[in-house]
Amino acid sequence: MSVFCEVPQGAPVAVFKLTQDFNNDQFTNKVNLGVGAYRTDEGKPWVLPVVKKVEKIIVHDDRLNHEYLPILGLPEFRSSSSKIVLGDDSPAIREDRVGGVQCLGGTGALRIGAEFLRRFYNGNNNTRTPVYVSAPTWENHNAVFSSAGFEDVRPYKYWDAEKRGLDLSGFLRDLESCPERSIFVLHACAHNPTGTDPTQEQWKQIAEVMMRRKLFVFFDSAYQGFASGNLEKDAWAVRYFVSKGIEMFCAQSFSKNFGLYNERVGNLTIVARDADNLKRVLSQMEKIVRTTWSNPPSQGARVVAVTLSSPELFSEWKDNVKTMADRVLLMRAQLKAKLQALGTPGTWEHITDQIGMFSFTGLNAKQVEYMVKEKHIYLMASGRINMCGLTSKNIDYVAESIHEAVTKVQ
Amino acid sequence: MSLFSDVPQAPPVAVFKLTADFREDSHPQKVNLGVGAYRTDDCQPWVLPVVKKVERLLVEDDSLNHEYLPILGLPEFRSAGSKVALGEDNPAINENRVGGVQALGGTGALRIGADFLRRWYNGVNNTATPVYVSAPTWENHNGVFTDAGFKDIRPYHYWDAAKRGLDLTGLLDDLEKAPEHSIFILHACAHNPTGTDPTQEEWKTISEIMKRRKLFPFFDSAYQGFASGSLEKDAWAIRFFVSEGFELFVAQSFSKNFGLYNERVGNLTVVSKDTENLTRVLSQMEKIVRTTWSNPPSQGARIVSKTLNTPELFAEWKDNVKTMADRVLLMRDQLKNKLLALGTPGTWDHITQQIGMFSFTGLNPKQVEYLIKEKHVYLMASGRINMCGLTSKNIDYVSQSIHEAVTKVQ
């Protein structure tokens, strides 16, 4: 009799199951519009040229060794990462009230931030503080905060399926009616899965309510640079909130914008009232990190730090990022144009209105099933597609398939 | 007023504070016998030649990219990792009842294992299951299991300060008295901090009681190969337990034996009764990993995997490991001889009887303080020294300093 006999089978993570099914599919024209990773026009993964270059520099640098990093991570990585999101000239940075915790991708940054908030925010070990995540949101947000001990994870209105856009009044209503001090997980840009971001004016309204009602701001920033092609533009919301004097967290991921998915490069940026509060917060972050992974992995952080700290490499990186962002924009424009040319029922403006890797097509569950089963086009049950999965070679097939799904299936 | 104004300052992790103090010390003869990392006879960190070689191979391999690893990690790494611990030809592996979870160093493997056990072992979410750690033990064991949710962490007798050896009677007594199903953290070899391991006969007795009383063995294996120079020898206890039919966990670290401290390379080996149970366990491990770091970092795992899976590189690695183990053995030998030659009061056999990186000198806190303050020789308050900090250049100074501490301070 096994000590594990009562352990139930866990359901697979949907997005990875989708890729698995795709991999097992023998159909020649199959297309994977599921998991969020960049693909070239040949449908291949892309190691950024600047990353390849920096990896070679690192391997040939005999001054480097493999000694443990500090618990909070590589110092150059932490500071350059926080600068990237807040801006080089950020007053908060100058005032020494910004700190970073190098983490394992965006997930790790969210988890460490969540663990800290559960222990120390809104009282001690207050597991009942409500945590609000957008409806819909990245499928892992809920579980990260639950695993950190929060017992009350709730949705805030976000996506308006009817108008295929932001449900701003619903969102603002939730901000006005939630308990004070609730935590809100905000997508800094390129909302996952809808691709729909508030405008600058809308962010200002959101900030005003959040400040007035003492809500905690926790940004998830996984697509800086990748969304619009411009680092500053994609960080506008985060910087605006900081400029209003708000104390907040920002979970940064370098998985997408550096294409370093498997090296787990992330940073939790903390903006505090002053250096003293920051110091105490960081000391507690150390304790949390110590019992989770002790200290973070070096390779990815070194690649990012070297790149961000060298003007030439930084410039080359921005080019690489723009390459990716531009290809996505091109695919958006072409998909919309083809659907319009086909006369596919419905409006398709949202495909070019939305931003970043993902598009919430508006296809319903049955239509999605049709796409997957009949057309061998793999997308999430929510109708989310990864624009990066589109190429000049498959875009016609995909457009035609969407057309079929919409006209044949209701 | 800050949201963080009530956040207390956390004390620094003792071993890192020690190193920080050492760094600030300007005394020309200062010696760091604190943190557990290998040093050459020039007192430098050592990147293993085989690691350097493999890093170069990897960077030139254009077939590799940075796409996400599976949640459980690089498959070749997981299987090679488990094989190293259990032996290639282990029946349990042949019976498909062994699985690995690539984790962030030994710490990450312990944490994922602990998170799993708290959720699924001895009932569902049974936070009251006692977890026993040796007295003394690695300073982070307690914190890891506590943060995984266990409420009852207890010491088991281990170190006999009077005889400077294993308190076997006390240990066995604790095993007999522990509530059934209690979890026991066992050091596979090179016990940290005492350097004192049970003999094979003693392990057999421990195993007999654990089986009879249904106690769960959770091995912490951070020094395989590094302790005796022989991979097989250092894994004897683990393999014995597996041969006795136990279901168990092994948290493996490749930080020390590969010198890959900062790439966070670890593996949680799970030995189950059969494939079916293993499958369910691994599915739940995935859920835990997903909310902690999503999927693990690639670099270190690729290095280890390539090395273990390539016969020439594997042989070279074993050589590199033996180099480290031999230097430690030499320092042990020399330190004992010098203390004997000096006529330092007390017995010093334990220095060569103990095994691995650490030695529990038997120095008391006052004597430790003397060594640090007066002699600028840095060691842990427990009297633990890292043998790797000794070199042919400083061993005389250290022996003389120990002699002074023992004769001058009581």
Side-chain angles (χ1 to χ4, degrees):
Chain A
M1 184 74 155
S2 167
V3 301
F4 306 126
C5 54
E6 304 283 325
V7 176
Q9 178 72 26
V13 177
V15 69
F16 299 134
K17 171 81 171 54
L18 193 76
T19 289
Q20 215 186 316
D21 293 343
F22 169 83
N23 287 339
N24 291 337
D25 189 334
Q26 309 285 6
F27 192 77
T28 342
N29 288 337
K30 64 180 182 178
V31 183
N32 187 357
L33 302 180
V35 73
Y38 179 77
R39 292 287 177 267
T40 62
D41 195 61
E42 278 77 45
K44 297 245 173 293
W46 193 47
V47 176
L48 274 57
V50 74
V51 166
K52 204 72 218 166
K53 180 184 282 191
V54 173
E55 285 172 338
K56 292 186 158 134
I57 293 173
I58 288 172
V59 88
H60 290 114
D61 187 346
D62 288 327
R63 297 166 305 171
L64 297 176
N65 59 42
H66 285 296
E67 293 303 291
Y68 289 121
L69 287 183
I71 298 177
L72 296 180
L74 188 66
E76 314 86 91
F77 168 79
R78 297 163 57 207
S79 55
S80 56
S81 298
S82 293
K83 283 197 169 124
I84 270 286
V85 69
L86 300 193
D88 260 341
D89 51 357
S90 166
I93 293 181
R94 265 186 283 115
E95 289 157 21
D96 290 326
R97 54 190 191 86
V98 173
V101 181
Q102 180 188 338
C103 290
L104 281 277
T107 301
L110 286 163
R111 178 61 182 269
I112 297 302
E115 291 280 352
F116 175 90
L117 292 173
R118 189 263 296 162
R119 283 164 173 70
F120 295 111
Y121 171 71
N122 197 26
N124 267 354
N125 200 39
N126 187 352
T127 59
R128 303 248 284 271
T129 301
V131 177
Y132 282 82
V133 298
S134 63
T137 193
W138 178 47
E139 128 285 328
N140 204 18
H141 275 147
N142 199 307
V144 167
F145 281 83
S146 298
S147 294
F150 284 104
E151 291 168 6
D152 187 358
V153 183
R154 314 176 181 183
Y156 60 85
K157 302 228 172 16
Y158 196 83
W159 174 248
D160 183 332
E162 289 248 9
K163 69 174 218 198
R164 285 187 190 166
L166 180 67
D167 177 5
L168 182 69
S169 42
F171 189 175
L172 294 174
R173 257 200 319 277
D174 282 340
L175 290 172
E176 292 285 6
S177 61
C178 69
E180 280 196 352
R181 303 197 198 280
S182 295
I183 295 163
F184 273 72
V185 181
L186 309 173
H187 297 231
C189 71
H191 183 272
N192 177 1
T194 70
T196 299
D197 294 338
T199 61
Q200 290 185 5
E201 281 317 301
Q202 291 170 337
W203 274 123
K204 287 178 179 175
Q205 290 179 265
I206 292 161
E208 188 273 320
V209 180
M210 292 190 77
M211 285 176 72
R212 180 168 30 85
R213 306 216 57 253
K214 306 179 177 49
L215 307 175
F216 187 85
V217 176
F218 199 150
F219 273 107
D220 183 347
S221 176
Y223 303 99
Q224 189 186 0
F226 197 102
S228 69
N230 180 291
L231 294 167
E232 289 71 32
K233 195 149 180 261
D234 290 347
W236 187 88
V238 177
R239 297 178 188 190
Y240 177 75
F241 274 65
V242 172
S243 75
K244 303 304 277 179
I246 296 174
E247 291 181 297
M248 50 189 255
F249 287 175
C250 180
Q252 303 169 258
S253 167
F254 292 93
S255 292
K256 281 83 172 175
N257 59 16
F258 263 84
L260 279 172
Y261 307 92
N262 71 8
E263 301 295 1
R264 316 310 296 123
V265 202
N267 190 50
L268 176 69
T269 284
I270 298 152
V271 183
R273 177 84 49 241
D274 53 46
D276 179 65
N277 277 288
L278 177 69
K279 181 164 162 297
R280 281 179 285 101
V281 169
L282 290 176
S283 76
Q284 294 297 345
M285 291 288 182
E286 279 198 357
K287 290 195 68 167
I288 294 167
V289 167
R290 177 72 171 153
T291 62
T292 315
W293 52 66
S294 245
N295 41 77
S298 167
Q299 179 70 0
R302 275 179 175 160
V303 171
V304 172
V306 168
T307 306
L308 295 183
S309 64
S310 149
E312 279 161 29
L313 295 171
F314 181 57
S315 180
E316 189 175 343
W317 172 60
K318 285 195 288 185
D319 262 357
N320 290 172
V321 173
K322 194 157 186 313
T323 295
M324 294 190 286
D326 284 349
R327 197 179 95 64
V328 168
L329 288 167
L330 180 66
M331 291 298 101
R332 284 186 181 280
Q334 289 189 351
L335 180 62
K336 178 176 96 175
K338 287 183 190 291
L339 291 172
Q340 285 172 342
L342 287 166
T344 310
T347 54
W348 301 100
E349 292 305 313
H350 58 285
I351 294 196
T352 46
D353 288 338
Q354 287 163 7
I355 190 173
M357 206 178 265
F358 302 115
S359 178
F360 231 37
T361 53
L363 292 173
N364 65 37
K366 284 209 172 83
Q367 293 163 336
V368 169
E369 205 189 337
Y370 179 87
M371 294 281 284
V372 176
K373 296 249 143 67
E374 305 301 322
K375 310 303 295 184
H376 307 269
I377 295 175
Y378 290 76
L379 67 157
M380 302 301 290
S382 60
R384 184 192 91 169
I385 60 173
N386 178 5
M387 300 306 299
C388 303
L390 293 172
T391 71
S392 55
K393 296 167 195 57
N394 67 25
I395 195 163
D396 283 320
Y397 177 65
V398 172
E400 279 150 22
S401 303
I402 291 175
H403 184 83
E404 271 183 48
V406 171
T407 48
K408 285 186 179 180
V409 182
Q410 267 80 54
Chain B
M1 185 70 163
S2 166
L3 296 175
F4 308 125
S5 34
D6 291 335
V7 176
Q9 176 73 25
V13 176
V15 69
F16 299 134
K17 171 83 172 53
L18 192 77
T19 291
D21 292 345
F22 170 81
R23 289 219 175 95
E24 284 171 25
D25 188 332
S26 47
H27 193 267
Q29 285 176 298
K30 65 179 182 175
V31 183
N32 188 358
L33 301 180
V35 73
Y38 180 77
R39 292 284 175 271
T40 63
D41 195 61
D42 295 309
C43 216
Q44 296 299 314
W46 193 48
V47 176
L48 274 57
V50 73
V51 166
K52 204 70 218 161
K53 179 183 284 187
V54 174
E55 285 174 329
R56 295 199 154 119
L57 290 172
L58 292 174
V59 90
E60 299 300 334
D61 186 347
D62 288 328
S63 71
L64 298 175
N65 59 41
H66 284 297
E67 293 303 290
Y68 288 121
L69 287 182
I71 297 177
L72 297 181
L74 188 67
E76 315 86 90
F77 168 79
R78 297 164 56 207
S79 56
S82 295
K83 283 193 171 132
V84 155
L86 302 195
E88 250 187 323
D89 47 2
N90 194 304
I93 294 182
N94 293 334
E95 289 156 21
N96 291 318
R97 55 192 189 84
V98 174
V101 180
Q102 181 188 337
L104 280 278
T107 302
L110 286 163
R111 179 60 183 268
I112 297 303
D115 276 328
F116 174 89
L117 292 171
R118 191 266 298 162
R119 282 166 173 70
W120 302 112
Y121 173 72
N122 196 28
V124 175
N125 199 38
N126 187 354
T127 59
T129 300
V131 177
Y132 283 81
V133 298
S134 63
T137 194
W138 179 47
E139 128 284 330
N140 203 18
H141 274 148
N142 203 305
V144 169
F145 280 82
T146 301
D147 283 355
F150 285 103
K151 303 251 181 278
D152 186 358
I153 319 251
R154 313 176 180 184
Y156 61 86
H157 286 89
Y158 196 83
W159 174 248
D160 185 330
K163 72 174 222 208
R164 282 187 193 168
L166 180 68
D167 177 4
L168 183 69
T169 329
L171 204 177
L172 297 179
D173 200 49
D174 284 336
L175 290 173
E176 291 285 7
K177 297 205 168 87
E180 282 192 349
H181 303 297
S182 294
I183 296 163
F184 273 73
I185 311 303
L186 308 171
H187 297 231
C189 70
H191 183 272
N192 176 1
T194 70
T196 300
D197 293 337
T199 62
Q200 290 185 5
E201 283 315 300
E202 289 167 347
W203 274 121
K204 287 178 179 174
T205 313
I206 292 165
S207 157
E208 187 273 319
I209 303 174
M210 289 189 74
K211 191 188 287 192
R212 178 165 36 81
R213 309 219 54 258
K214 305 179 176 54
L215 307 172
F216 187 88
F218 196 151
F219 279 101
D220 183 346
S221 176
Y223 302 99
Q224 189 185 1
F226 196 102
S228 70
S230 158
L231 293 170
E232 290 70 30
K233 197 147 178 263
D234 291 346
W236 187 89
I238 294 170
R239 296 176 189 193
F240 177 73
F241 271 65
V242 172
S243 73
E244 288 289 298
F246 279 93
E247 291 181 297
L248 53 86
F249 286 177
V250 185
Q252 303 169 258
S253 168
F254 294 92
S255 290
K256 281 82 174 174
N257 59 16
F258 263 85
L260 279 171
Y261 308 92
N262 72 8
E263 300 296 358
R264 316 311 296 124
V265 202
N267 190 45
L268 176 70
T269 284
V270 175
V271 181
S272 179
K273 199 109 355 272
D274 53 46
T275 314
E276 208 266 320
N277 278 286
L278 179 70
T279 305
R280 281 180 283 102
V281 169
L282 291 178
S283 75
Q284 293 299 342
M285 293 286 183
E286 279 199 357
K287 292 191 71 165
I288 293 167
V289 167
R290 177 72 171 153
T291 63
T292 315
W293 52 67
S294 244
N295 41 78
S298 167
Q299 180 71 356
R302 275 179 175 161
I303 293 169
V304 172
S305 170
K306 194 163 179 69
T307 305
L308 296 181
N309 287 314
T310 310
E312 283 159 26
L313 297 171
F314 182 55
E316 189 175 344
W317 172 59
K318 286 194 289 186
D319 259 359
N320 290 173
V321 173
K322 196 159 187 311
T323 296
M324 294 189 285
D326 284 351
R327 198 178 96 65
V328 168
L329 288 168
L330 181 67
M331 291 299 102
R332 284 187 179 280
D333 210 56
Q334 291 190 350
L335 180 62
K336 178 176 101 176
N337 287 338
K338 287 185 190 290
L339 291 173
L340 290 176
L342 285 166
T344 309
T347 54
W348 300 101
D349 285 329
H350 57 287
I351 292 193
T352 46
Q353 280 161 3
Q354 288 163 4
I355 190 174
M357 204 178 265
F358 302 115
S359 178
F360 231 38
T361 53
L363 294 170
N364 66 38
K366 284 208 172 83
Q367 293 164 336
V368 169
E369 205 188 335
Y370 178 88
L371 279 175
I372 296 175
K373 296 248 143 68
E374 305 302 324
K375 311 303 295 181
H376 307 272
V377 173
Y378 290 73
L379 67 159
M380 302 302 289
S382 60
R384 183 192 91 169
I385 60 173
N386 178 5
M387 300 308 297
C388 303
L390 291 172
T391 71
S392 54
K393 294 164 196 57
N394 68 24
I395 195 161
D396 283 320
Y397 179 69
V398 171
S399 338
Q400 274 151 19
S401 302
I402 291 177
H403 184 82
E404 271 183 48
V406 170
T407 48
K408 287 188 179 179
V409 182
Q410 266 78 58

